[in-house]
Amino acid sequence: MARATDRELVRKAFDTLPDRWQRVLWHTEIEGRSPASLAAALGSSPNAVAALAYRAREGLRQAYLSVHLSSAIPEECRPYVPKLAAYVRRSLPPGEDRWVAAHLEQCQHCPERRDEVMVLVADLRSVLWPALLGPVVLAGSG
């Protein structure tokens, strides 16, 4: 049951990404293609494709964490919860980082969500790619 829920969350997160990110993730992570082999098809240099793939992977991580956290959010926490994934991954701008940290110091709800994100971040790779690959693997085994 947990695996099905994880797959659903990954799918939701993947669907929130820009089309270009979805394409580069599919080609690099699922098909195993190199940035150099995608450069011409994407109209970019291999270095630009590698940078795009890096941004897309980070975007998927943050989208997954945001989707995972989005249920049952108290009204006063709504502005902060979408920032928790980036906060935990230390990718917020300094002003936003301090803003979220100040909220975490006084909130009853968000520190638990932050801790949950920290656990998820540690196990993210084992959750994301199998969830995206699931339909491909099942289609290939039939």
Side-chain angles (χ1 to χ4, degrees), residues 16 21 24 43-44 62 98 102 108:
T16 69
W21 284 11
V24 78
S44 296
Q62 291 191 24
R98 288 188 295 277
Q108 299 175 29

Side-chain angles (χ1 to χ4, degrees), residues 90-142:
R90 300 176 196 261
S91 59
L92 282 178
E96 287 186 37
D97 185 69
R98 288 188 295 277
W99 177 66
V100 172
H103 174 74
L104 287 168
E105 287 177 14
Q106 58 86 30
C107 183
Q108 299 175 29
H109 310 284
C110 288
E112 183 176 330
R113 288 182 184 274
R114 179 209 48 219
D115 294 346
E116 186 177 348
V117 170
M118 291 172 79
V119 169
L120 286 170
V121 165
D123 195 35
L124 201 52
R125 175 163 265 204
S126 66
V127 171
L128 289 179
W129 303 131
L132 288 176
L133 278 173
V136 173
V137 172
L138 292 175
S141 65

Side-chain angles (χ1 to χ4, degrees), residues 49-64:
V49 173
L52 177 65
Y54 176 83
R55 287 192 307 276
R57 282 190 301 273
E58 181 62 24
L60 181 58
R61 286 180 187 105
Q62 291 191 24
Y64 172 79

Side-chain angles (χ1 to χ4, degrees), residues 5-69:
T5 301
D6 285 341
R7 279 193 199 112
E8 183 179 322
L9 293 175
V10 171
R11 280 279 182 215
K12 285 182 182 178
F14 188 78
D15 289 345
T16 69
L17 299 177
D19 288 341
R20 190 163 168 87
W21 284 11
Q22 288 181 11
R23 278 195 317 272
V24 78
L25 284 173
W26 189 264
H27 291 305
T28 58
E29 301 297 329
I30 305 302
E31 294 177 353
R33 293 180 61 189
S34 70
S37 73
L38 291 172
L42 295 177
S44 296
S45 70
N47 285 343
V49 173
L52 177 65
Y54 176 83
R55 287 192 307 276
R57 282 190 301 273
E58 181 62 24
L60 181 58
R61 286 180 187 105
Q62 291 191 24
Y64 172 79
L65 294 171
S66 293
V67 167
H68 183 80
L69 291 173

